Amino acid sequence: MPHIEREELTPEESDQLLLPGGRPPLWKHMESIGAVGLQQREGVPSCSQKGLPCPSDSSELVLECLQQFKVTQTQLQQIQTSLLGSMEQALGGQASPASTVRMLPTYVGSTPHGTEQGDFLVLELGATGASLRVLWVTLMGTEGHRMEPRSQEFVIPPEVMLGPGQQLFDFAAHCLSEFLDAFPVSTQDLQLGFSFSFPCHQTGLDRSTLISWTKGFRCSGVEGHDVVQLLRDAIKRQGAYNIDVVAVVNDTVGTMMGCEPGVGPCEVGLVVDTGTNACYMEEARHVAVLDEDRGRVCVSVEWGSFGDDEALGPVLTTFDHALDRESLNPGAQRFEKMIGGLYLGELVRLVLAHLAQRGALFGGCTSPALLSRGSILLQHVTEMEDPLAGAARVHAILQDLGLSVGASDAELVRYVCTAVFTRAARLCAAALAAVLSRLQHSREQQMLQIAVATGGRVFERHPSFLSILQETVMLLVPECDVSFIPSVDGGGRGVAMVTAVAARLAAHRRLLEETLAPFRLNREQLAAVQAQMQEAMAKGLQGEASSLRMLPTYVRATPDGSERGDFLALDLGGTNFRVLLVRVTAGGVQITSQVYSIPECVAQGSGQQLFDHIVDCIVDFQQKQGLSGQSLPLGFTFSFPCRQLGLDQGILLNWTKGFNASDCEGQDVVCLLREAIGRKQAVKLNVVAIVNDTVGTMMSCGYEDPRCEVGLIVGTGTNACYMEELRNVASVAGDSGHMCINMEWGAFGDDGSLGLLRTCFDANVDQASINPGKQSFEKMISGMYLGEIVRHILLHLTSLGVLFRGQQTQRLQTRDIFKTKFLSEIESDSLALRQVRAILEDLGLPLTSDDALIVLEVCQAVSQRAAQLCGAGVAAVVEKIRENRGLEELTVSVGVDGTLYKLHPHFSGLVAATVRELAPRCAVTFLQSEDGSGKGAALVTAVACRLAQMDHV
């Protein structure tokens, strides 16, 4: 940690000791005082007679003394850097037990958004020194007018401040009852926010252990105990009212939370009262003790103890050392003792006494009051500095101390006050600059725009403390645009707001849980899906009524590694169409491909137009690859539901994925392709096989792993295939060998078997789709639909007031705005919450950090259900294979393709975990396919050619 060096001041830096009310710089003004001379007071000996300094010497002595309070810009920057380093150490859990700042999480995770409503009780202890305050705060939400809180202050007797802890908390409970007795309330159950402004270790919003007393309190039996429980016990002993202590908050957090919502949320609180502290909204992932990776949490810096490790040594004056020695906690809270209102008056007293003893003030005379600790208070100093009060008020205060005041004494005393307060404001600014630098760095913003709520009597009473603070902050962090907003009623409203926000979040949490509960599937529900799918598979294979078509693909074997040759492959399954040249050699598979687009007018035009376009693309590819005139074996990946009558015969059952070309459904698509080839005349193509993309995926992975007997697609759509025993396929003759079955499982549940799992959001998405009532399973799993499910949930939560402050946005009403790729991005572990917010803001959704967390949770629930349903389907397939073969244990691989499976950060892991749970006797390996649609189609063709050669031989 860098040490702060003591520096000599230049005259220019001395000029920076600015004075309130536009008075000249300190050293220049003192010269003018000396030149005029001090008026001789009647009966008082002259300076020369007493051996005291002359007037000009007096002003020089005062200036020399006050130079100690000057802190240079370099020193301020060193303090800023030192404090920032201490903050980051404490956040990371690396700090020693004697850490200079504690960085305590307050468990306040949300700032107000203006909709909070209700009546709340507030108890403030420690915010205003030796007094306790009770408030009744009514919050009216966005529509209602603001109501002033009702409050009552109770003076805490000294014997209570220094006595047993139980006595203090019984006193607090008694004050609560006395306040409520005078202010009858209709409700029996009262929610209370407890403002406890001492260093505490919080382990929850309503759990806080006192670390150490400050501000003159020394009650026994409290340090190391939960102050909320001590208050609850005292309220219970009082027995008059049923009061629920919802939250414990320090005054700094209360100040931040009580800030009126402006253009943006207030995310920093700064208090300079009897003590000083700051809090701010930190990214939760940076707070090591929380072990959280999402959201924000308010951290109390507890910067009053900064400098306990002597980091402030070079800027401590002889007066700071004297004050510290006489305090209740010598050696501790050194930073607070240079800034806090409890100590500033005492610093002024020590300086005045020193100057009087040196003959620079009051004719060299002191008084018993001036030499008595605590005789000059914050109120006295702020009044003496107030330019509106005039010299008469300064004279009156000094005379009350028994001092004989000369003509220049009043002005010199005001300079002493100014020097002490200017240093306090500049030190406070350096500490605030450290907090702002931390926020700017953690949020990675070039220009940080932020509101700082200020509170405490130093801000309220001192005429120039805030302006000096502002100027110094601008000097130290010019890249931060800071708005300072005075707290309303000293933070009491903020404590009520913390309580109200906690109540709002609890209510929103209940609504969110109710909304997402149908998406959180348990093992029994998933096992039921597995059983239903196995039943539907068996019926479909036998030709009975079933939502699973179980279509034979006439692929009878997977690759064995001996396949060789050049093959063409076509891949049609979406808005892009590919043509590939696949070379299968002993060294592996080499692929050359080109992507062609299919315009929407072609995809939804006539069938002849679509297939002519496909052939045109093939011709273009052949010309570019030098293949014109060659007749290579061709595999056609056609990723739409087909009933295959042979390896090169496929009847299109129905279009999906936005295709609707006429005169194709019910037709053999290989014939349609061959007819288009015939119309081109110059083209020679040998169409060997029509392949579903799922089969292609299985075959592609099967080339690398002979145990791969299942194919799975989870992308825009979803489907699965597997190697079934031929004897179980009723529609194909033969009892031996295997047959790859295209399950077309996207239609699973179209018979209503998934009705219990279907939510109102699924129903909304289905109704708005181009094929209502069809592809039920696919609409709960695949990428084409998950984003829409999320959008409908967000609309519902907005209508409940849980999201976006209940304000519906036109953007969210737009269909398909929420692409499934955003789920993958939002759920990425590598993204900070600010990046999640950025993604959503790019969609035109203005939101808070709380909103971002809720959107994240919605995405997680929707994608988790999709992955678990997919896993239940895979479990049904592998269990069917195991049972077919009469095995105790099955080892099998699943080839997988699809953008949702590959790009979503958690989808694949959730699928695998679900399969392990539902099919424990199957050891399943998932292999990601490399170009299953293209490479797989070529391999189906290659295997068919190999088998044909074997049959020929």
Side-chain angles (χ1 to χ4, degrees):
M1 187 171 291
H3 277 277
I4 299 155
E5 301 296 333
R6 168 75 69 188
E7 297 183 8
E8 294 298 319
L9 303 183
T10 65
E12 290 77 14
E13 288 173 325
S14 295
D15 282 350
Q16 292 175 27
L17 282 174
L18 300 176
L19 304 176
R23 283 138 62 197
L26 188 60
W27 69 280
K28 289 183 178 178
H29 200 69
M30 286 185 175
E31 285 180 352
S32 69
I33 295 171
V36 173
L38 295 173
Q39 299 296 320
Q40 289 293 314
R41 290 172 296 234
E42 187 178 348
V44 177
S46 69
C47 295
S48 57
Q49 290 172 323
K50 294 184 62 178
L52 298 175
C54 292
S56 60
D57 295 333
S58 297
S59 61
E60 289 175 8
L61 283 172
V62 173
L63 175 60
E64 179 187 345
C65 175
L66 295 186
Q67 290 282 12
Q68 298 180 65
F69 288 90
K70 175 60 183 169
V71 185
T72 68
Q73 182 175 341
T74 301
Q75 289 172 328
L76 291 171
Q77 289 168 335
Q78 289 175 325
I79 291 170
Q80 175 187 351
T81 302
S82 179
L83 178 57
L84 179 58
S86 187
M87 288 169 60
E88 291 177 344
Q89 271 194 332
L91 283 173
Q94 303 166 354
S96 65
S99 172
T100 57
V101 292
R102 295 190 175 95
M103 304 301 287
L104 303 174
T106 66
Y107 294 85
V108 172
S110 177
T111 52
H113 59 39
T115 61
E116 291 77 13
Q117 299 182 55
D119 295 317
F120 302 93
L121 196 58
V122 173
L123 172 65
E124 288 183 346
L125 180 59
T128 53
S131 64
L132 172 154
R133 195 162 71 125
V134 181
L135 300 92
W136 180 270
V137 181
T138 300
L139 302 175
M140 304 295 290
T142 51
E143 301 301 323
H145 64 282
R146 189 173 174 278
M147 293 183 64
E148 290 300 318
R150 178 189 176 97
S151 67
Q152 185 175 351
E153 194 159 339
F154 300 86
V155 176
I156 305 174
E159 63 273 15
V160 174
M161 291 177 64
L162 302 174
Q166 182 171 322
Q167 184 181 8
L168 173 66
F169 285 95
D170 283 344
F171 176 79
H174 173 76
C175 294
L176 282 170
S177 293
E178 185 177 324
F179 174 82
L180 291 170
D181 287 344
F183 179 48
V185 293
S186 58
T187 178
Q188 293 297 310
D189 297 316
L190 303 171
Q191 292 183 309
L192 180 139
F194 183 21
S195 173
F196 189 74
S197 303
F198 302 92
C200 287
H201 174 59
Q202 267 191 266
T203 54
L205 192 59
D206 62 347
R207 296 188 303 277
S208 189
T209 301
L210 176 64
I211 295 172
S212 59
W213 284 115
T214 56
K215 308 175 186 177
F217 283 76
R218 290 286 295 274
C219 296
S220 61
V222 181
E223 292 179 350
H225 292 81
D226 180 2
V227 295
V228 174
Q229 193 56 52
L230 292 173
L231 178 60
R232 284 173 174 157
D233 292 342
I235 291 170
K236 190 174 181 181
R237 285 193 295 272
Q238 189 74 21
Y241 291 93
N242 185 18
I243 299 172
D244 178 21
V245 185
V246 174
V248 59
V249 187
N250 70 31
D251 56 335
T252 320
V253 179
T255 295
M256 181 187 78
M257 295 291 282
C259 188
E260 292 283 359
V263 177
C266 179
E267 296 188 286
V268 181
L270 171 60
V271 167
V272 187
D273 200 279
T274 51
T276 181
N277 192 20
C279 67
Y280 71 100
M281 296 302 291
E282 175 63 81
E283 303 296 317
R285 70 183 187 281
H286 294 148
V287 185
V289 297
L290 291 182
D291 196 27
E292 290 280 342
D293 61 356
R294 297 287 187 181
R296 290 177 179 165
V297 65
C298 180
V299 170
S300 178
V301 179
E302 298 295 334
W303 70 22
S305 59
F306 173 63
D308 289 355
D309 61 355
E310 300 183 1
L312 288 177
V315 295
L316 289 167
T317 69
T318 55
F319 308 106
D320 295 307
H321 290 297
L323 183 148
D324 181 55
R325 284 193 300 272
E326 297 172 5
S327 69
L328 289 172
N329 52 351
Q333 300 295 109
R334 298 306 298 269
F335 195 59
E336 182 167 87
K337 288 170 184 173
M338 301 168 82
I339 297 176
L342 185 63
Y343 306 100
L344 295 181
E346 184 64 8
L347 278 173
V348 168
R349 184 191 70 80
L350 290 170
V351 175
L352 296 183
H354 168 77
L355 291 172
Q357 289 165 346
R358 292 192 63 186
L361 288 176
F362 317 128
C365 299
T366 62
S367 69
L370 183 62
L371 298 177
S372 299
R373 183 179 158 200
S375 59
I376 298 182
L377 303 176
L378 172 65
Q379 179 180 349
H380 298 139
V381 180
T382 56
E383 287 179 6
M384 287 191 288
E385 268 212 85
D386 188 351
L388 300 177
R393 182 60 186 143
V394 182
H395 276 268
I397 291 171
L398 295 174
Q399 286 168 353
D400 286 347
L401 293 171
L403 296 168
S404 182
V405 185
S408 63
D409 286 345
E411 195 68 5
L412 290 172
V413 168
R414 293 177 78 178
Y415 289 138
V416 171
C417 297
T418 295
V420 171
F421 269 81
T422 297
R423 183 188 71 162
R426 286 167 68 80
L427 289 174
C428 186
L432 179 59
V435 171
L436 297 173
S437 297
R438 171 69 200 162
L439 279 168
Q440 185 187 26
H441 173 72
S442 66
R443 299 184 185 182
E444 298 179 17
Q445 295 179 356
Q446 287 188 339
M447 174 60 75
L448 177 71
Q449 286 190 311
I450 197 144
V452 176
T454 59
R457 285 173 295 181
V458 173
F459 280 113
E460 293 164 7
R461 297 180 181 178
H462 193 274
S464 56
F465 191 92
L466 178 59
S467 62
I468 297 169
L469 176 82
Q470 287 176 308
E471 290 170 9
T472 311
V473 167
M474 288 174 62
L475 186 71
L476 295 175
V477 279
E479 63 279 6
C480 295
D481 180 9
V482 187
S483 303
F484 290 88
I485 304 174
S487 72
V488 185
D489 72 51
R493 184 173 183 274
V495 179
M497 191 62 76
V498 172
T499 312
V501 168
R504 169 173 62 80
L505 291 177
H508 287 180
R509 168 54 52 184
R510 285 192 298 272
L511 292 169
L512 181 63
E513 289 298 328
E514 289 171 9
T515 301
L516 298 183
F519 291 87
R520 307 195 196 281
L521 306 181
N522 56 38
R523 191 188 188 287
E524 289 70 26
Q525 290 172 304
L526 293 170
V529 172
Q530 178 188 9
Q532 288 170 337
M533 182 167 282
Q534 283 186 255
E535 182 182 347
M537 289 168 70
K539 287 182 177 179
L541 287 170
Q542 293 303 310
E544 298 175 17
S546 171
S547 60
L548 291 177
R549 292 191 176 103
M550 304 302 287
L551 305 171
T553 65
Y554 295 87
V555 172
R556 300 172 185 267
T558 54
D560 65 3
S562 66
E563 293 79 10
R564 300 288 184 271
D566 290 353
F567 305 91
L568 279 178
L570 311 182
D571 176 16
L572 176 63
T575 53
N576 290 327
F577 166 65
R578 289 189 307 153
V579 184
L580 306 93
L581 172 63
V582 181
R583 288 195 163 98
V584 184
T585 66
V589 178
Q590 298 174 331
I591 300 175
T592 304
S593 67
Q594 184 166 343
V595 177
Y596 298 89
S597 65
I598 297 183
E600 185 178 349
C601 60
V602 174
Q604 299 188 5
S606 69
Q608 181 173 322
Q609 184 182 7
L610 173 62
F611 282 93
D612 283 348
H613 178 75
I614 291 170
V615 172
D616 288 340
C617 295
I618 297 170
V619 170
D620 178 75
F621 180 80
Q622 284 186 311
Q623 289 173 346
K624 289 179 179 177
Q625 299 300 322
L627 300 174
S628 298
Q630 296 187 38
S631 179
L632 297 178
L634 183 147
F636 183 16
T637 296
F638 188 75
S639 305
F640 300 92
C642 285
R643 180 175 299 280
Q644 280 192 252
L645 306 177
L647 190 60
D648 63 347
Q649 292 176 279
I651 308 300
L652 174 63
L653 298 176
N654 56 276
W655 285 115
T656 57
K657 307 175 190 177
F659 276 71
N660 197 25
S662 60
D663 303 321
C664 294
E665 291 181 354
Q667 300 297 312
D668 181 353
V669 293
V670 176
C671 284
L672 295 176
L673 178 61
R674 285 173 174 156
E675 288 171 4
I677 293 169
R679 284 193 294 273
K680 202 69 180 174
Q681 292 184 348
V683 184
K684 295 181 180 179
L685 293 172
N686 176 21
V687 184
V688 172
I690 180 171
V691 183
N692 176 276
D693 58 345
T694 319
V695 178
T697 294
M698 181 189 75
M699 296 293 277
S700 174
C701 292
Y703 186 78
E704 310 295 336
D705 180 358
R707 296 178 304 179
C708 183
E709 297 187 83
V710 181
L712 172 65
I713 296 284
V714 193
T716 308
T718 184
N719 193 18
C721 69
Y722 71 102
M723 298 303 290
E724 177 60 82
E725 305 298 313
L726 186 58
R727 66 178 184 274
N728 294 333
V729 185
S731 61
V732 180
D735 292 327
S736 63
H738 299 93
M739 171 68 71
C740 179
I741 297 296
N742 171 18
M743 295 177 66
E744 288 297 338
W745 81 1
F748 175 58
D750 285 358
D751 57 358
S753 56
L754 292 177
L756 293 177
L757 300 184
R758 204 160 177 256
T759 68
C760 60
F761 310 109
D762 296 306
N764 290 337
V765 170
D766 179 52
Q767 277 305 116
S769 69
I770 60 172
N771 55 349
K774 297 180 180 179
Q775 301 297 104
S776 301
F777 199 54
E778 182 169 86
K779 287 172 182 173
M780 300 169 85
I781 291 177
S782 74
M784 177 171 276
Y785 304 100
L786 297 191
E788 269 298 278
I789 295 173
V790 167
R791 186 180 70 86
H792 280 279
I793 296 173
L794 300 186
L795 282 170
H796 172 71
L797 292 173
T798 304
S799 72
L800 295 176
V802 174
L803 270 179
F804 313 131
R805 304 184 188 185
Q807 298 171 359
Q808 295 282 1
T809 63
Q810 187 59 43
R811 192 77 171 135
L812 198 56
Q813 305 280 350
T814 307
R815 185 178 167 188
D816 292 327
I817 179 185
F818 210 92
K819 304 296 184 186
T820 299
K821 71 170 185 175
F822 295 137
L823 273 74
S824 299
E825 292 174 1
I826 286 169
E827 292 187 59
S828 172
D829 293 329
S830 64
L831 282 195
L833 192 62
R834 61 174 183 77
Q835 292 166 303
V836 174
R837 287 184 65 176
I839 292 169
L840 297 169
E841 285 167 354
D842 285 346
L843 293 177
L845 302 175
L847 74 172
T848 65
S849 294
D850 293 335
D851 291 335
L853 281 172
I854 290 172
V855 172
L856 169 65
E857 196 165 340
V858 170
C859 292
Q860 288 172 332
V862 172
S863 60
Q864 177 173 298
R865 183 189 69 162
Q868 288 179 320
L869 288 173
C870 184
V874 173
V877 171
V878 296
E879 274 294 302
K880 179 78 166 66
I881 296 173
R882 187 188 66 79
E883 291 171 5
N884 283 346
R885 299 175 188 179
L887 299 173
E888 281 295 317
E889 303 282 342
L890 172 69
T891 299
V892 68
S893 295
V894 178
V896 194
D897 204 351
T899 52
L900 180 59
Y901 184 93
K902 287 183 173 180
L903 299 182
H904 191 282
H906 307 298
F907 198 95
S908 59
L910 287 166
V911 171
T914 306
V915 173
R916 282 194 301 272
E917 186 174 16
L918 298 180
R921 290 195 282 177
C922 298
V924 182
T925 302
F926 289 86
L927 306 171
Q928 287 199 22
S929 167
E930 294 180 12
D931 194 9
S933 300
K935 176 182 171 183
L939 286 168
V940 169
T941 306
V943 170
C945 291
R946 172 172 61 82
L947 295 177
Q949 287 177 346
M950 290 174 61
D951 290 344
H952 181 69
V953 171

